Amino acid sequence: YLTALAGWICLAMLYMAAVWTSLGQEAGRNWLAGWVLEMTFMIENLFVFGMLVRAFRLPERLTPKTLTIVAWAQILFMMVFFMGMAAWLRSLWFLPYLLGAWLMVCGIWTLLEREDSHGEDFDIMETPVARKFKDCLGDRFLPGYDNDSHSFFIA
């Protein structure tokens, strides 16, 4: 994995060099700043994905599918969100600090979580959102996973 990561980083730096030389120093700096910000979001996502997998006690066989669905949903959300709010987000001088603090909180929380607990003290079914789903869906809301298939939804 480290070799693949190093390859992608080298490819990104080559692209940044192409932007820098063809569009100028300011465009190159802007591209690099955006890339560093996206790398920060990627690292934050790793912490959040890890917390979600533990909170939902997701079976290992469903983890790749879940992460794929979450990643695509996030890409679509970010596309719509940033297209409509890009100028306003740039005006928020405190946003990078807020996101950095959130990243540190997620990292510290992950670091301090006991390895053997696996979130056993947290029951996702006791949250207000899960209770509301149970109220709305009744018996159709299953509090577990189908052990015989790779499905999230049962018709």
Side-chain angles (χ1 to χ4, degrees):
Y1 292 114
L2 288 177
T3 305
L5 178 63
W8 283 111
I9 290 172
C10 288
L11 187 62
M13 293 301 106
L14 285 172
Y15 189 80
M16 190 222 21
V19 168
W20 192 297
T21 56
S22 64
L23 299 176
Q25 185 177 9
E26 184 177 348
R29 282 188 192 153
N30 287 339
W31 189 92
L32 181 61
W35 182 79
V36 168
L37 188 62
E38 286 301 317
M39 289 299 287
T40 303
F41 287 147
M42 181 193 69
I43 293 167
E44 181 254 344
N45 284 342
L46 292 175
F47 291 125
V48 172
F49 288 160
M51 287 187 283
L52 286 174
V53 166
R54 284 191 299 278
F56 284 101
R57 293 184 184 98
L58 194 65
E60 200 172 312
R61 64 186 163 74
L62 294 177
T63 301
K65 182 185 272 189
T66 304
L67 295 181
T68 301
I69 291 169
V70 169
W72 279 108
Q74 183 179 11
I75 289 168
L76 290 173
F77 173 78
M78 288 175 63
M79 181 182 72
V80 170
F81 185 73
F82 288 136
M83 288 174 84
M85 303 184 76
W88 178 72
L89 287 173
R90 278 191 215 110
S91 70
L92 300 176
W93 61 269
F94 61 88
L95 189 60
Y97 302 105
L98 182 66
L99 294 174
W102 170 248
L103 177 60
M104 288 191 294
V105 166
C106 289
I108 290 169
W109 186 20
T110 303
L111 182 67
L112 295 178
E113 187 175 87
R114 287 190 19 225
E115 190 64 35
D116 58 344
S117 72
H118 299 292
E120 288 153 4
D121 56 339
F122 175 74
D123 186 6
I124 196 74
M125 297 307 294
E126 295 302 320
T127 62
V129 174
R131 284 195 303 264
K132 193 55 80 177
F133 270 110
K134 182 70 171 162
D135 291 344
C136 291
L137 298 174
D139 293 337
R140 295 172 294 179
F141 184 66
L142 300 176
Y145 299 97
D146 183 14
N147 290 328
D148 298 330
S149 73
H150 292 281
S151 299
F152 290 111
F153 304 104
I154 300 173

